[in-house]
mmCIF file with all atom_site columns, all heavy atoms in Angstrom:
data_model
loop_
_atom_site.group_PDB
_atom_site.id
_atom_site.type_symbol
_atom_site.label_atom_id
_atom_site.label_alt_id
_atom_site.label_comp_id
_atom_site.label_asym_id
_atom_site.label_entity_id
_atom_site.label_seq_id
_atom_site.pdbx_PDB_ins_code
_atom_site.Cartn_x
_atom_site.Cartn_y
_atom_site.Cartn_z
_atom_site.occupancy
_atom_site.B_iso_or_equiv
_atom_site.pdbx_formal_charge
_atom_site.auth_seq_id
_atom_site.auth_comp_id
_atom_site.auth_asym_id
_atom_site.auth_atom_id
_atom_site.pdbx_PDB_model_num
ATOM 1  N N   . ALA A 1 292 ? -32.278 -48.846 -56.553 1.00 0.00 ? 462 ALA A N   1
ATOM 2  C CA  . ALA A 1 292 ? -31.002 -48.640 -55.878 1.00 0.00 ? 462 ALA A CA  1
ATOM 3  C C   . ALA A 1 292 ? -29.880 -49.330 -56.654 1.00 0.00 ? 462 ALA A C   1
ATOM 4  O O   . ALA A 1 292 ? -28.786 -48.769 -56.757 1.00 0.00 ? 462 ALA A O   1
ATOM 5  C CB  . ALA A 1 292 ? -31.077 -49.167 -54.445 1.00 0.00 ? 462 ALA A CB  1
ATOM 6  N N   . GLU A 1 293 ? -30.154 -50.532 -57.173 1.00 0.00 ? 463 GLU A N   1
ATOM 7  C CA  . GLU A 1 293 ? -29.136 -51.244 -57.898 1.00 0.00 ? 463 GLU A CA  1
ATOM 8  C C   . GLU A 1 293 ? -28.809 -50.521 -59.203 1.00 0.00 ? 463 GLU A C   1
ATOM 9  O O   . GLU A 1 293 ? -27.597 -50.385 -59.603 1.00 0.00 ? 463 GLU A O   1
ATOM 10 C CB  . GLU A 1 293 ? -29.592 -52.674 -58.210 1.00 0.00 ? 463 GLU A CB  1
ATOM 11 C CG  . GLU A 1 293 ? -28.615 -53.539 -59.000 1.00 0.00 ? 463 GLU A CG  1
ATOM 12 C CD  . GLU A 1 293 ? -29.168 -54.904 -59.308 1.00 0.00 ? 463 GLU A CD  1
ATOM 13 O OE1 . GLU A 1 293 ? -30.252 -55.255 -58.767 1.00 0.00 ? 463 GLU A OE1 1
ATOM 14 O OE2 . GLU A 1 293 ? -28.560 -55.605 -60.120 1.00 0.00 ? 463 GLU A OE2 1
ATOM 15 N N   . VAL A 1 294 ? -29.816 -50.042 -59.901 1.00 0.00 ? 464 VAL A N   1
ATOM 16 C CA  . VAL A 1 294 ? -29.594 -49.294 -61.147 1.00 0.00 ? 464 VAL A CA  1
ATOM 17 C C   . VAL A 1 294 ? -28.798 -48.008 -60.910 1.00 0.00 ? 464 VAL A C   1
ATOM 18 O O   . VAL A 1 294 ? -27.818 -47.731 -61.622 1.00 0.00 ? 464 VAL A O   1
ATOM 19 C CB  . VAL A 1 294 ? -30.924 -48.949 -61.806 1.00 0.00 ? 464 VAL A CB  1
ATOM 20 C CG1 . VAL A 1 294 ? -30.711 -47.980 -62.978 1.00 0.00 ? 464 VAL A CG1 1
ATOM 21 C CG2 . VAL A 1 294 ? -31.594 -50.186 -62.371 1.00 0.00 ? 464 VAL A CG2 1
ATOM 22 N N   . VAL A 1 295 ? -29.108 -47.262 -59.879 1.00 0.00 ? 465 VAL A N   1
ATOM 23 C CA  . VAL A 1 295 ? -28.401 -46.052 -59.519 1.00 0.00 ? 465 VAL A CA  1
ATOM 24 C C   . VAL A 1 295 ? -26.965 -46.362 -59.248 1.00 0.00 ? 465 VAL A C   1
ATOM 25 O O   . VAL A 1 295 ? -26.005 -45.648 -59.675 1.00 0.00 ? 465 VAL A O   1
ATOM 26 C CB  . VAL A 1 295 ? -29.069 -45.352 -58.348 1.00 0.00 ? 465 VAL A CB  1
ATOM 27 C CG1 . VAL A 1 295 ? -28.215 -44.152 -57.857 1.00 0.00 ? 465 VAL A CG1 1
ATOM 28 C CG2 . VAL A 1 295 ? -30.409 -44.853 -58.696 1.00 0.00 ? 465 VAL A CG2 1
ATOM 29 N N   . LYS A 1 296 ? -26.681 -47.403 -58.498 1.00 0.00 ? 466 LYS A N   1
ATOM 30 C CA  . LYS A 1 296 ? -25.309 -47.815 -58.179 1.00 0.00 ? 466 LYS A CA  1
ATOM 31 C C   . LYS A 1 296 ? -24.523 -48.092 -59.473 1.00 0.00 ? 466 LYS A C   1
ATOM 32 O O   . LYS A 1 296 ? -23.367 -47.679 -59.597 1.00 0.00 ? 466 LYS A O   1
ATOM 33 C CB  . LYS A 1 296 ? -25.317 -49.037 -57.258 1.00 0.00 ? 466 LYS A CB  1
ATOM 34 C CG  . LYS A 1 296 ? -23.931 -49.501 -56.839 1.00 0.00 ? 466 LYS A CG  1
ATOM 35 C CD  . LYS A 1 296 ? -23.992 -50.666 -55.921 1.00 0.00 ? 466 LYS A CD  1
ATOM 36 C CE  . LYS A 1 296 ? -22.630 -51.208 -55.501 1.00 0.00 ? 466 LYS A CE  1
ATOM 37 N NZ  . LYS A 1 296 ? -22.725 -52.368 -54.600 1.00 0.00 ? 466 LYS A NZ  1
ATOM 38 N N   . GLN A 1 297 ? -25.110 -48.829 -60.391 1.00 0.00 ? 467 GLN A N   1
ATOM 39 C CA  . GLN A 1 297 ? -24.417 -49.113 -61.645 1.00 0.00 ? 467 GLN A CA  1
ATOM 40 C C   . GLN A 1 297 ? -24.236 -47.915 -62.490 1.00 0.00 ? 467 GLN A C   1
ATOM 41 O O   . GLN A 1 297 ? -23.152 -47.756 -63.091 1.00 0.00 ? 467 GLN A O   1
ATOM 42 C CB  . GLN A 1 297 ? -25.242 -50.257 -62.335 1.00 0.00 ? 467 GLN A CB  1
ATOM 43 C CG  . GLN A 1 297 ? -25.222 -51.569 -61.616 1.00 0.00 ? 467 GLN A CG  1
ATOM 44 C CD  . GLN A 1 297 ? -26.056 -52.601 -62.342 1.00 0.00 ? 467 GLN A CD  1
ATOM 45 O OE1 . GLN A 1 297 ? -26.787 -52.270 -63.250 1.00 0.00 ? 467 GLN A OE1 1
ATOM 46 N NE2 . GLN A 1 297 ? -25.905 -53.847 -61.940 1.00 0.00 ? 467 GLN A NE2 1
ATOM 47 N N   . SER A 1 299 ? -24.000 -44.758 -61.530 1.00 0.00 ? 469 SER A N   1
ATOM 48 C CA  . SER A 1 299 ? -23.013 -43.883 -60.949 1.00 0.00 ? 469 SER A CA  1
ATOM 49 C C   . SER A 1 299 ? -21.629 -44.390 -61.075 1.00 0.00 ? 469 SER A C   1
ATOM 50 O O   . SER A 1 299 ? -20.659 -43.663 -61.148 1.00 0.00 ? 469 SER A O   1
ATOM 51 C CB  . SER A 1 299 ? -23.346 -43.646 -59.479 1.00 0.00 ? 469 SER A CB  1
ATOM 52 O OG  . SER A 1 299 ? -23.300 -44.873 -58.701 1.00 0.00 ? 469 SER A OG  1
ATOM 53 N N   . ALA A 1 300 ? -21.510 -45.765 -61.169 1.00 0.00 ? 470 ALA A N   1
ATOM 54 C CA  . ALA A 1 300 ? -20.156 -46.364 -61.310 1.00 0.00 ? 470 ALA A CA  1
ATOM 55 C C   . ALA A 1 300 ? -19.747 -46.474 -62.818 1.00 0.00 ? 470 ALA A C   1
ATOM 56 O O   . ALA A 1 300 ? -18.645 -46.869 -63.086 1.00 0.00 ? 470 ALA A O   1
ATOM 57 C CB  . ALA A 1 300 ? -20.182 -47.793 -60.737 1.00 0.00 ? 470 ALA A CB  1
#
Side-chain angles (χ1 to χ4, degrees):
E463 181 182 350
V464 169
V465 171
K466 181 179 179 180
Q467 292 177 348
S469 63

